[in-house]
Amino acid sequence: MPSFLTSAPGKVILFGEHAVVHGKAAIAAAISLRSYLLVTALSKTDRIITLRFPDISFHHTWKIDDLPWDTFSHPSKKKFYYDLVTSLDPDLVEAMRPHLAEVSPKATPENRKIHQAAASAFLYLFLSLGSQSFPGCIYTLRSTLPIGAGLGSSASISVCLSSALLLQLRTLSGPHPDQPREEAELQVERINRWAFVGEMCIHGNPSGVDNTVSTGGKAVLFKRKDYTKAPMVTPLYSFPELRFLLVNTRQVRSTAVEVAKVAALAKSQPSITDLILEAIDNVSRSAHNLITSPDFDEESQDVANVLGELIQLNHGLLVSLGVSHPRLERISELVNSAGVGWTKLTGGGGGGSAITMLKPGASPVALRMLEKNLDAENFERFEATLGGDGVGVLMPAILRNGSDEEGGEEIDQEKFLNAVGREGVERLVGVGVKEKREGWKFWRIRANGVDGANGRAH
């Protein structure tokens, strides 16, 4: 198989974070910040697999034949690409432990934890889906998503890994313009299921919303009451392009810690916590009803005011659950002082990121002052479009980048590793709003059919 790339977006949760873990509804949308995974096959004699994530200074190699294949391939443990896995097998986790213990021994405790989480997700997927005869490969990941900012970076990585391994198994066909809707939906669901397994390795008890949005793109109303079954996902095909400012606090936090914090509150104060979670659910459903209304006008000041009120209500309820942070509250203070929009935390909280829906006709002078104040306090700003494509494939890893190379520019390890920062990665392989590249193909499922890779079928 030639070298190829997979890519998946991050996400923002507009409404419903934390409540979604407890069976309530949430609305989440894909953003144009993405992860990119380059898969490079080695010669048959190179019996190794290597992970290279230079953006987090992670590089590790395992010998394929030394991995715990006997445990993962035992008849009582073996999983297949079409299986639904809703929990991690403790015996399989234990079998991986010695192979994770050797990861990044000289890194700081904080960085080592991130490296081992990524390695855990990869190994569990690789050993579950692959076999000892799997070819040696290098898996190199670059990302334009900040890590630990509540933007679904881990889900984006898990979707990249899941889709890459399923492609290597040749269990995915397409995407292509004439692909039947049912086939596309099935393949998206398989990618999503295994990406959820990766998320369990990283977060413990994820809701599944991050990987669902990263796989399918656009925006969704998401609800999962029974983790032994697939989630209820209602696509929002007509999701509007609302103006949002995305701000990273640069405060590292753990989604698992924040989820556990709410679980502890639900145990100590069950009736009050239930009321807060129910109120968040009502906010999410009110927003859904508004956005899907036939009369919805994204440019209307009245509509913007209602959405803004819902955003602020949602944030206040999350504060009541104890998952905010002083840096998040500072962003809200700066936005309110500027009078340009409505702000809430997005994702797990405890740090991470905040999103601001900008008011129609917001003063350019006030916006520039807000940006200046955010920069002065070491916040990181992004302008990201919501509601774009989900998982994509570039096979082979060749793009027409205006180069002189015959047939296009081959994206090899050296070029991929040498791309400098987010801007360099976007210039080289980006599929965001600014870079609509020939070659990238996506599973695009719409209301009346499947959007093909190089055309649309409805």
Side-chain angles (χ1 to χ4, degrees), residues 81-243:
Y81 68 90
Y82 47 77
D83 285 331
L84 173 64
V85 179
T86 58
S87 63
L88 300 180
D89 187 314
D91 294 333
L92 301 185
V93 172
E94 184 61 31
M96 292 196 309
R97 195 178 304 278
H99 305 278
L100 296 174
E102 60 193 40
V103 169
S104 302
K106 296 181 180 179
T108 65
E110 183 179 294
N111 287 338
R112 192 176 190 217
K113 184 178 180 180
I114 294 172
H115 296 177
Q116 289 185 328
S120 173
F122 171 76
L123 278 184
Y124 202 101
L125 295 184
F126 181 79
L127 289 164
S128 296
L129 290 169
S131 67
Q132 196 166 349
S133 62
F134 221 69
C137 284
I138 301 173
Y139 298 86
T140 306
L141 186 121
R142 302 297 307 273
S143 185
T144 63
L145 284 159
I147 299 228
L151 301 178
S153 60
S154 66
S156 176
I157 292 169
S158 293
V159 172
C160 285
L161 291 171
S162 170
S163 56
L165 290 168
L166 290 168
L167 282 164
Q168 286 185 286
L169 285 172
R170 303 184 187 279
T171 61
L172 299 178
S173 62
H176 54 81
D178 300 322
Q179 188 169 34
R181 178 186 176 92
E182 294 76 14
E183 181 181 288
E185 288 178 333
L186 177 62
Q187 294 186 6
V188 167
E189 179 58 24
R190 283 177 180 164
I191 295 170
N192 190 32
R193 284 182 176 186
W194 283 102
F196 180 68
V197 175
E199 282 282 87
M200 285 193 289
C201 291
I202 296 170
H203 294 303
N205 182 33
S207 67
V209 66
D210 288 17
N211 49 280
T212 298
V213 174
S214 186
T215 304
K218 293 298 289 179
V220 299
L221 179 73
F222 180 99
K223 188 172 184 177
R224 188 169 201 156
K225 281 192 171 182
D226 185 348
Y227 276 72
T228 65
K229 300 178 181 178
M232 182 205 79
V233 179
T234 305
L236 305 180
Y237 297 117
S238 57
F239 185 81
E241 291 190 8
L242 301 172
R243 291 181 66 204

Side-chain angles (χ1 to χ4, degrees), residues 13 27 40 43 97 101 162 177 194 202 259 311 320 341 375:
I13 296 185
I27 295 177
T40 307
S43 68
R97 195 178 304 278
S162 170
W194 283 102
I202 296 170
V259 169
I311 285 171
S320 298
D375 292 345

Side-chain angles (χ1 to χ4, degrees), residues 22 57 79 113 128 137 193 205 261 273 328 402 449:
H22 297 269
S57 303
K79 298 296 181 184
K113 184 178 180 180
S128 296
C137 284
R193 284 182 176 186
N205 182 33
K261 191 184 296 183
T273 304
L328 288 165

Side-chain angles (χ1 to χ4, degrees), residues 243 301 304-305 336 338-342 356-363 367:
R243 291 181 66 204
Q301 182 66 60
N305 288 338
N336 289 340
V340 296
W342 302 272
T356 296
M357 190 180 85
L358 299 174
K359 293 181 178 179
S363 164
L367 283 172

Side-chain angles (χ1 to χ4, degrees), residues 292-439:
T292 57
S293 167
D295 300 325
F296 179 76
D297 179 3
E298 62 191 81
E299 297 181 359
S300 164
Q301 182 66 60
D302 290 340
V303 167
N305 288 338
V306 174
L307 276 178
E309 288 173 355
L310 292 172
I311 285 171
Q312 289 190 318
L313 281 169
N314 198 161
H315 181 74
L317 292 165
L318 291 167
V319 171
S320 298
L321 290 175
V323 296
S324 189
H325 185 275
R327 293 277 286 173
L328 288 165
E329 295 309 305
R330 181 58 178 157
I331 294 169
S332 182
E333 288 174 8
L334 291 172
V335 172
N336 289 340
S337 177
V340 296
W342 302 272
T343 298
K344 65 178 286 292
L345 68 84
T346 182
S353 296
I355 53 173
T356 296
M357 190 180 85
L358 299 174
K359 293 181 178 179
S363 164
V365 174
L367 283 172
R368 285 194 295 271
M369 182 58 67
L370 172 62
E371 291 170 355
K372 182 179 178 181
N373 290 336
L374 290 169
D375 292 345
E377 298 192 25
N378 197 33
F379 292 107
E380 186 179 23
R381 295 180 288 109
F382 297 94
E383 293 181 11
T385 300
L386 307 187
D389 285 317
V391 61
V393 181
L394 178 68
M395 184 182 292
I398 297 174
L399 281 169
R400 291 180 176 86
N401 283 343
S403 70
D404 295 328
E405 296 184 36
E406 185 176 352
E409 180 180 6
E410 181 178 356
I411 312 301
D412 57 21
Q413 286 284 326
E414 182 178 4
K415 289 177 182 175
F416 198 49
L417 288 169
N418 289 339
V420 179
R422 295 188 182 95
E423 294 78 11
V425 173
E426 281 292 339
R427 280 195 299 269
L428 183 66
V429 296
V431 299
V433 173
K434 296 180 181 178
E435 303 290 351
K436 295 296 185 183
R437 297 279 174 76
E438 289 185 34

